[in-house]
Amino acid sequence: MSTYKAIIVSDLHLGTKDSKAEEFIEFLEKHPTELLILNGDIIDGWALNRGAKWKKKHTKVISKLLKLSNKTQIIWIRGNHDEFLQEFIGSHFGGIEVREDYKIQYLEHIEYDNWKERCYYIFHGDIIDVFITKYNWLSKLGSIGYDLALWANRQYNKYRKWRKLPYQSISQKIKTSVKTAVSYVNDFEVTALKMAEKQGCDGVICGHIHQPEDRMIDGKRYLNSGDWVENMSAILIDRQGHISLYK
């Protein structure tokens, strides 16, 4: 029997140096699930177009997913970095179904042995990002800047490792300290929940901004699965219907 009813992951960015491919395979092996939702940016087509090298460890992830799809339902939701999936929406690759978005409905166990029907709207998140929807070229420029930040991150943490100091993320510090970045994240969260409400759902599960989160906003639950570049995070739904953030 599977340990979880559903697991939602996003932003693996396979094809980039910083993708935690081996750690993700280990995570899948330790967390069996009935349903696996790949919530966008699983393969980084933008980076590959810029000349990034596809490695054997990235192929191993795809092989693992295809093998897993024989016994596990897998939904792959299109992101902006794997936008090449757009023309395949509604199709299947082996046992993997390609979707634009997805609704997950289940009975959640509440205290005193009561159960309540829950609905969560799941989508990558790029469609509410103004820089994606209106200024695609600017978003790709920003992606290059993020790559540079990750390169600096690698060099900085090599030095910290040599000094026997723990890992520290430069880009995460920037995101949480720059006022405009914090404001952007807040606007993103509120807009995502408005989209979920229009879909008749109690909450939303996104990716895209690489910020793992689980919080209530005006009585609605906002969840973000984060990424497998820096945070190695995911959303887990157990067999009693409880949702938790894995990080």
Side-chain angles (χ1 to χ4, degrees):
M1 183 180 285
S2 298
T3 305
Y4 295 96
K5 287 183 72 69
I7 292 177
I8 301 96
V9 297
S10 69
D11 299 271
L12 270 68
H13 291 272
L14 297 175
T16 66
K17 284 184 180 179
D18 296 282
S19 178
K20 303 296 189 294
E22 291 155 347
E23 291 86 344
F24 180 64
I25 290 174
E26 186 180 347
F27 167 79
L28 290 178
E29 289 171 349
K30 290 182 177 178
H31 298 79
T33 182
E34 293 176 13
L35 170 64
L36 176 64
I37 299 176
L38 307 169
N39 197 9
D41 288 0
I42 305 305
I43 294 176
D44 197 325
W46 292 8
L48 292 170
N49 285 337
R50 294 197 303 268
K53 303 296 183 186
W54 184 267
K55 296 185 177 179
K56 189 182 287 186
K57 64 181 181 179
H58 302 141
T59 301
K60 284 182 179 178
V61 173
I62 301 301
S63 298
K64 177 71 176 177
L65 291 171
L66 288 169
K67 185 178 178 182
L68 199 61
S69 70
N70 292 324
K71 57 181 180 179
T72 301
Q73 182 186 4
I74 300 181
I75 305 290
W76 186 343
I77 294 172
R78 175 208 60 78
N80 50 304
H81 285 258
D82 47 20
E83 59 193 353
F84 56 84
L85 289 174
Q86 186 68 46
E87 60 183 295
F88 300 107
I89 287 173
S91 303
H92 289 75
F93 293 105
I96 301 174
E97 182 184 0
V98 181
R99 298 281 297 262
E100 180 71 25
D101 53 14
Y102 191 73
K103 284 184 187 179
I104 189 166
Q105 291 179 285
Y106 64 93
L107 284 171
E108 181 178 359
H109 181 251
I110 325 179
E111 56 186 349
Y112 307 119
D113 286 331
N114 291 320
W115 295 77
K116 185 174 181 179
E117 183 75 24
R118 296 288 192 192
C119 172
Y120 283 84
Y121 182 55
I122 305 172
F123 70 111
H124 180 63
D126 57 303
I127 60 170
I128 57 174
D129 188 337
V130 66
F131 292 111
I132 298 295
T133 55
K134 292 188 178 178
Y135 306 106
N136 192 265
W137 65 271
L138 189 57
S139 175
K140 292 187 177 182
L141 190 63
S143 177
I144 296 170
Y146 183 59
D147 288 348
L148 287 171
L150 290 174
W151 175 85
N153 211 49
R154 282 197 304 274
Q155 309 314 311
Y156 175 59
N157 279 289
K158 280 179 185 176
Y159 168 74
R160 289 184 64 82
K161 189 175 181 181
W162 175 69
R163 293 287 306 275
K164 294 184 169 55
L165 295 170
Y167 176 89
Q168 198 171 76
S169 171
I170 295 174
S171 61
Q172 286 295 316
K173 281 196 167 224
I174 292 170
K175 283 180 191 174
T176 54
S177 61
V178 177
K179 191 175 180 179
T180 50
V182 173
S183 175
Y184 165 77
V185 170
N186 289 337
D187 289 346
F188 179 91
E189 293 170 349
V190 170
T191 307
L193 278 171
K194 285 179 180 175
M195 286 196 67
E197 197 170 359
K198 285 179 181 177
Q199 295 289 330
C201 288
D202 307 286
V204 69
I205 303 175
C206 296
H208 186 55
I209 59 173
H210 295 210
Q211 289 284 97
E213 188 63 83
D214 176 6
R215 71 188 190 100
M216 300 297 292
I217 302 173
D218 296 329
K220 300 285 184 179
R221 194 171 183 181
Y222 168 85
L223 294 133
N224 195 298
S225 50
D227 65 277
W228 282 81
V229 176
E230 296 177 88
N231 292 297
M232 291 187 286
S233 53
I235 302 297
L236 309 179
I237 305 178
D238 68 19
R239 300 196 64 77
Q240 285 72 46
H242 296 137
I243 299 183
S244 60
L245 176 61
Y246 169 92
K247 187 176 177 185

